[in-house]
Every structure is written in structure tokens, then in C-alpha cells.
Amino acid sequence: MTADELCDLEIAAVAPLLRDKELSPVELAEAYLARIERLDPTLNTYIRVLPEAALAAARQAEDDIRRGGWRGPLHGVPVGIKDLFDLARVPTTMGSTVLRDNVPQLDATVVSHLKAAGAVILGKQNLHEFAFGITSENPHYGAVHNPWDLGRVPGGSSGGTAAAVAAGLCAAGLGSDTGASIRAPASFCGTVGLKPTYGRVSRAGALPLAWSLDHAGPLARSVADCAVMLQAIAGYDQRDAASSIEPVPDFSARLARGVAGLRLGIPREYFFEIIEPDVDRVVRQAISTLEQLGARVEEVSLPHVRDAQIAGNVIMSSEAAAWHHDWLRERPHEYGADVLQRIRGGLLVRATEYLHSQQMRTLIQQDFAQAFTRVDVVLGPTVPIVAPPIGRTFEPGGPLNLPPRAIANRTTVPCNLTGMPAISIPCGFSDGLPVGLQIMGAAFAEPLVLQVAAAYESATDWRRHKPTFRSATEAITER
Amino acid sequence: MPEPTSGQMVKEIIVAELTDQEVSALVEGYATLARSVAAFPGADLKRVEPPLRSVPGPRT
């Protein structure tokens, strides 16, 4: 097997090779590091690669496994982490220059969980500045490029992580999601991305964007790999005030159960009202596939969801403004223009508007609670558009002739408001660009969400499609 | 507190050097947001609380 073929392997395939000592964790880490060195100057997915630390962790994993101490499916597996999670003694920049010299002394809880599972951390990945945006066009560390089309954004804010997973620059990654930031980049890059239930995964040691909306979660190349990552990072943490004591189930236990007899809800309002026609076609085809697999499809009404985007944006900008308050006055020149404008907008929000938005959150939660009395999960598009071109995300464009930044979190933010788990999985292509299907479940129903996602994934071959960035890279080099 | 609908008010709240273009973008952005929130269904809002709760403090 060549080094590039090793980097193509999903965790489910590489873990048994590592466990059975047929593959060395050092060889695997070296393959990833070489691939990063070769391709990341073009894709720009990492802010900081950590070759020495990664190889040291890989050597440790090799020793442990040789002595019979295999810890599980992440042992010796190279992963990346978005650069808003603390890794002890390595700067956490959050994609900003304000935090260029912010060097934590402790690992984020999720990072310590990944280390305990034996994962090899390759580096810290690029993101939209302060995680406040959906493009990952970072003014300080450069734009991340989508491996499916280097002229397009990978989505954001976890754009570096999604692009790296898609391009084989890490086996899986750790992202965060405040309005779309795991699921939108997963959709744009053709990967799987899961936003767990609020409180399921600790955010301790992750710099905040908006406390009441922030979630940490995995991005991976398959649903099974996503379940493995979630298993490693889920659980109560006294360091996170919002952490839940809900028991952690086996997230892989139901992956093979199929969807026969399950009830799938399709929202009557909002989710399919503003959507590129080809994305609409691809998502509806995916729903038909699930129906053919034995699920029952039923329309559900979520009348208050139409106000989700404004409520989400009000809460997000207000909470962000509170966290950034001092820097906004002392160091505004260190912010990129778009993020500065959005956070300053939060300073203008009045308390009544913030609280009305929080009340709207309650109404949306009630709508979903009502829907879940009739259906098991709710389906829709992850994002109503495909990845837009870099540098043209403020202006109207695409088949809808709308600014991508204005609509990209439209169908994801409802689950940040409700705290419900939601996953994006690849479900086809529009003009050669990936489209994501979003599966939303009731609180703490990750096993069911993963079950539906796995059933769809196993009935289709979308995840076997690989980005053609290599030829695109060659084309850029030739230019 | 009055609504931040004038450039002068925005400057007082932001407390930073702002260009005229930045001020007008902030005024326009806020006006859009305020209109959208004002259009929330008032009768529905009246019957619910925000999901904010007091958490009992430590017990010694």
C-alpha cells in the first residue's frame, strides 16, 4: 500500500491494521505528514503542523500496541484539531492575531480524551477568524481552499478541519459548531460532520464564540468513524458548566440496524423554501432512498423555525460581543473587517431583543418536541447552496442570486438553538460539488441519528468519491 | 435606552474610531435586525419564557 493509499483509509479500516501490528503508527503518521507537506501549501488547512509531537505520540502508540496495550480504534490514528481547542504548550489562535501568543498550559477536555484514546494529533487547523463565519477566508492565516474546487470556500468555521479530512490530511478532526460550523463545512467538502446534543461533549478548553450555542464535535470520512470519534470525546465534564450527566451510550451499537419502520419527518416550512434547485433535487432523492430502505416519510410542521436565523444571529452576536468587549475597544485594528463588523453589531443589540430571541428559541424547541411525538428524526438540506467561490461570498450569486454568507447557516442554526443533535452526510453532487443531507434528532438521540445516517451511507457510494484536487493542484502549479 | 438608529448613538455605544461607511453599515444592520425581531409573533412570545434558569449555588 502506498503512503497516499494509507491516508485514504477510514478509521474503521486502519484501526484493525494498527491493532494487529500490520501497520506501524509511525509509518501512518509519516504518510500523513508527508502528504500535508506536499499538499497543504495549496489547501492551507493547518495553521500549525506538529511533526515532532505527532511522531513522538506515534512512537508511543507503537510501543503500547507492541506490548499488548491497544486502547481502541483511535489508537495510533492521526487526527487534526481546529485551532480553538487548547493543546497544552501550543498556541491557540482561534484564527486571530489577537490570540497569536495565547499559549495554554492545559489540554482542552476533548483533546485530553483524544490523547487518552491514543490518537496522534497532527496539528492545529485553520478556521474562520474567531469561528465567526461560514467561509474560512481567514485574513491572517490565509483562505482555506475546498479540495473539490480550489477556487471555492470549504465552509466554516471549521473549514480547515473539513478540507483536511476530505483531502486525506488527517483521518478525522475535531470541530466546533455555533450556527453551522461543523455541518456546513462537512456539506461543502463532502465529509460527515456531527453536532452532538448541547452538553454531550465538553467545551472546556475551547475558546467560545457564543456560550449558549457552542458545541464541539467530530468530522470524519464515514458515519462509523464519526461514531468512534464521538465515543472518545463524549461525557460529563465538571470543567464545562453546560456539561450533561446523561449516560454515554455505545454510539456504534445501532449503525447496522437500518431504517425499516422508522418515521422520517420532512419540514413543511422553511427548510426547502430557499434552496438551489439542484441541491433540492439531490436532497429529495436522498430522502426517497431512505424511503426505499423501509422508512416512512411524513410531513411535520415547525412554524416558528422561520425566525430561527434572526434569533440565532441576535444571540450569537450579543454573546460574542460580551466575550470580545474589551478587545473591541482596545485592539479593533487586529480584527478582520467582516468579523469586527458582526461583533460590533452585537454591541448594539438591546436586552429585549436578546430575550425575545431567547423566547423564540423556546418556541422552536416546542415545535421540534411536537414533531418528535410523530417522527423519529427530521430531515432537510444541511446547507441550501453548494460551496461558493472564494472572494465572492458577500455578493449575490449562484442560482439563488443571494449572498452566500446571508443564507449558509439558515438550515443549520435551528439545531444550535434547540441543542438537538444533527449530522451532515454526503448525499450527492451538484455541478461536481458535494451536497449534504442533514439528519436532526431529539436531545441525546445521537445513536438514532447515526443509525439513519449509516443506513443511507451503506446504501449509496458517495463517500467513495474523492476530490480531484490533485489534478487541480497540478493545474495551479502549471499556471 | 434609545434605539441605536443614529450614527451618533452608534459611535457612543461602540466607543471606537469609525468611518462614515462603518457607521452607516452598523446603523443599517441594526435597523434590519430590530425590524426582524419586532416581527416575531408577539402573542406566541407572551406565553413562553426564555430558556434561562437560575442554578442553585454550591452547598457546603
Side-chain angles (χ1 to χ4, degrees), chain A residues 381-396:
Chain A
T382 305
V383 187
I385 57 175
V386 293
I390 290 172
R392 284 162 48 196
T393 53
F394 285 107
E395 61 198 63

Side-chain angles (χ1 to χ4, degrees), chain A residues 304 329 341 353 358-359 362, chain B residues 13 25 30 44-45 48-49 51:
Chain A
H304 296 96
R329 293 185 176 172
Q341 182 79 2
E353 289 153 350
Q358 289 284 3
Q359 285 174 286
T362 302
Chain B
I13 293 171
Y30 174 76
D44 289 350
L45 291 183
V48 296
E49 288 185 20

Side-chain angles (χ1 to χ4, degrees), chain A residues 304 307 310-311 314 328-329 341 344-345 347-350 353 355-363 365-366, chain B residues 1 3-4 13-16 18 22 25-26 30 33-34 36-37 40-41 44-45 47-52:
Chain A
H304 296 96
D307 290 314
I310 188 70
V314 166
L328 288 177
R329 293 185 176 172
Q341 182 79 2
R344 278 177 166 166
L347 290 175
L348 305 180
V349 174
R350 296 186 302 165
E353 289 153 350
L355 286 164
H356 284 158
S357 296
Q358 289 284 3
Q359 285 174 286
M360 186 52 66
R361 191 172 190 167
T362 302
L363 292 168
Q365 285 172 341
Q366 290 178 350
Chain B
M1 185 174 153
E3 291 184 22
I13 293 171
I14 302 290
V15 194
L18 297 173
E22 287 172 329
L26 285 163
Y30 174 76
L33 175 153
S36 302
V37 174
F40 284 174
D44 289 350
L45 291 183
R47 65 178 172 80
V48 296
E49 288 185 20
L52 306 171

